[in-house]
Structures are given as C-alpha cells and as structure tokens.
Amino acid sequence: MRWKVARPEQLVVIHNGTNPQPFLKADGAPLRRELRLEKASMLTFVGRLAPPKDPLTLLEAVKKLPEGVLLVIGDGELRSQAERSIRDLGLVDRARLLGQQSDIPQILAASDIFVLSSRWEGLPYTIIEAMMAGLPVVATEVGGVPELVEDGVTGFLVPPRDPDALAEALQKLIADPELRRRMGEAGREKALREFTLDRMLRETKRVYNGITK
C-alpha cells in the first residue's frame, strides 16, 4: 500500500500455518533425562546463529538471570562468537549450543519457555511451533511478531537489542509456573485457532477461487 503496488481491496493477508499434530503429541521427558535437566528451567531458542536473530544479546540476557538453562538450536556464522561469549560470560553450564536438530517438537515439549531475540523478522514459524507446543514466548517486538505474541497474554514482547528487558521478561516466567502455564495455554489456543496449516491452505484456496471467478 505504501508503494502503491496494488489497491487496498486487492491485498489479502494469509498468515503462515503449520501442522499442529507433532507438537501436540510430543513427549519431552526423555530429552530432559538425556540432558540431565529434569529440574532446570529450560529456555529454548530455535533459529540461525546470524545477525538478524541476535543470539549474542540473548546470551547477555541469560547471564543476568539467577537460574535457567538455555538451549540454542541452530547453526550459522555467529557460532564461534556465541561459543566465545558463553565462555567469557561464564555460561558454560547454563547455555548449550546443540546445532541443527531434527526433532523440534520433542525439544519444545521438554522446554519451559521459548525465546526469540531477533532484530528483525517476518512471521516466524518457530514462534508458531512454540505456541503449538504450549510454551509461553518471550520475543522482540519486531516485524510480524506482535501478530503472534500478545504481550501479557501469550508471552512478553521486549525491545530488540535490550538484554535487560529480555532478562526481566524471562525471569517473570521462570519465577511463576502458573503464569507459564496460563500463557502457554493461551498461546496454544491462539495457534490452533489462527495459525494451522489447514487454515493457511483454505484461505489460499479461497483467494485463487475468487480470482478465477
């Protein structure tokens, strides 16, 4: 609309969607036992280790927390810097770089909180998947993220590049299991209502049918 590519009545927004079933059925207990984190508060980040995702700010935030273990799922050009930051910040026992992983549903099922520290975004599938898994989400208020995360309802939104705000939001959830449960349930309900693969395909088909009439 801003660049007058099309008239407003010609534009339709269809949000990303994913199949909820793998996230509804996953069991995270075996992974917790494997990682020996049965009693820890598990924070999980899924994304490329690249400047847009800003994992280094996330590590600074974790340093400010009195407890919690961060699982970093993904790889990329910032991996060596992330490894160095983990050593320099004294997070060797509290941040684990697990690289690329195939069983994201199980990892999310094992987690307590999902966190995304991006500087910019579109509409992240990773947040949709975390919501499907019933996790509260702490994420930066960039791009389409606020269309997924309702601040104070399904999680918390914080400014980008702000480790203090990120740590404060994470600590609220770490300290309050009932808040985690309530936000996680609200997020799952929203994801099942608005961000399923079936809904995305149905809305896309409706657009095609409308054009061909």
Side-chain angles (χ1 to χ4, degrees), residues 18-39:
T18 192
N19 176 13
Q21 290 308 312
F23 304 95
L24 300 178
K25 298 186 299 185
D27 179 8
L31 180 61
R32 273 189 173 264
R33 289 193 296 270
E34 179 184 334
L35 297 175
R36 298 182 180 178
L37 295 174
E38 290 95 335
K39 297 182 180 180

Side-chain angles (χ1 to χ4, degrees), residues 51 54 57 60 117-120 140 142 158-164 166:
D54 199 9
T57 289
E60 291 179 41
S117 49
S118 304
R119 294 180 184 176
W120 61 88
T140 45
V142 296
V158 300
R161 303 190 190 191
D162 190 337
D164 291 324
L166 195 54

